[in-house]
Amino acid sequence: MDQNPATSTASGSKRTVYALGATTLLFFGLAVLFLGDLWGHSPARQQIPLVDKSFLEQTPWRRTYSDLVRAKEDLSDFDCYGCHEKKKPPVLRFDANNILIVPEEHKDIVMGHGSHNRNNLCYNCHNEANLETFQVRDGREIKFADSTQLCGSCHGPNYRDWEAGAHGRINGYWNTALGQARKLDCANCHNPHSPRIPTRVPAPGPHALRVPVAAPHESATTH
């Protein structure tokens, strides 16, 4: 015997009403739980201090001869023959331990290039025949503005890394369509007479967005 269509419709409607009612009660119960904060709450987001602007500074530590030329500044400090006589190389003097005596006129220079004082000799880099140029081992003369080539004549691996961008720093834009990219010279970071870079405070590490909550210690009970 076929079921009465009216009875089937009524039965389906009841099931729908029961399902909607149960769903409503479920969401109402969840709302009560959330409002009652029965599960606790996330810790408040901590205020993250901004990074010291000194870590974002792009100005090089040191200014090179090239920087002064570009800025059209005073170059009188590089006029060696303002004091020295041409065609008469300055005589170097050493103490009883064969350590170079820095003249009073250059007392701001601290010699510390390498170990065992092997490189603390002016004419390892400066050209005694022309004090306004550098000299390298193959006999070439290099202008003050090209000092990085002088460094590369001894520090080959570092120079190759510098050329490839793995050593040193590039200021400006990687996308040169947005602006100029300029590779800093060795002397922008290293003092040629004492090239070891002084220790500096490292930049802070990344912050967590929220303070991690330590799990409560469960007291162990011995029975």
Side-chain angles (χ1 to χ4, degrees), residues 10-216:
S11 176
S13 298
K14 286 183 179 181
R15 285 195 297 270
T16 301
V17 171
Y18 291 152
L20 291 175
T23 303
T24 301
L25 289 174
L26 175 63
F27 279 106
F28 180 77
L30 290 174
V32 171
L33 293 176
F34 281 117
L35 291 175
D37 200 16
L38 300 182
W39 289 317
H41 58 84
S42 300
R45 181 177 295 182
Q46 63 178 344
Q47 294 295 324
I48 299 177
L50 297 177
V51 175
D52 191 324
K53 291 183 178 180
S54 63
F55 292 111
L56 308 176
E57 180 61 53
Q58 295 186 15
T59 304
W61 288 12
R62 306 181 73 256
R63 300 186 73 192
T64 66
Y65 180 87
S66 298
D67 294 328
L68 298 177
V69 170
R70 277 191 293 269
K72 298 181 180 179
E73 295 193 15
D74 181 21
L75 300 175
S76 58
D77 285 346
F78 296 88
D79 181 15
C80 302
Y81 291 117
C83 298
H84 296 287
E85 186 177 344
K86 290 186 177 181
K87 299 182 180 181
K88 188 177 180 181
V91 178
L92 303 183
R93 293 177 173 81
F94 301 86
D95 64 12
N97 296 317
N98 203 34
I99 296 176
L100 178 71
I101 299 175
V102 179
E104 182 68 20
E105 292 80 6
H106 295 295
K107 62 182 179 181
D108 58 322
I109 295 177
V110 177
M111 300 297 287
H113 197 135
S115 58
H116 309 297
N117 296 312
R118 291 181 301 176
N119 296 321
N120 293 338
L121 181 65
C122 306
Y123 297 143
N124 279 354
C125 298
H126 292 277
N127 183 0
E128 66 268 31
N130 182 1
L131 297 180
E132 295 182 340
T133 63
F134 297 122
Q135 62 180 352
V136 293
R137 295 180 180 180
D138 61 9
R140 287 180 297 127
E141 291 189 13
I142 295 178
K143 296 179 180 180
F144 288 163
D146 300 323
S147 60
T148 295
Q149 295 182 28
L150 171 70
C151 302
S153 67
C154 288
H155 303 281
N158 300 79
Y159 184 72
R160 289 191 292 271
D161 289 344
W162 175 82
E163 284 188 309
H167 185 96
R169 196 177 83 192
I170 298 176
N171 274 1
Y173 296 87
W174 290 104
N175 183 357
T176 53
L178 299 176
Q180 183 183 11
R182 187 173 74 86
K183 189 176 295 184
L184 299 187
D185 289 314
C186 301
N188 279 128
C189 298
H190 301 275
N191 183 329
H193 301 102
S194 301
R196 184 181 295 275
I197 295 179
T199 302
R200 62 181 301 185
V201 178
H207 291 277
L209 290 179
R210 298 184 183 279
V211 179
V213 180

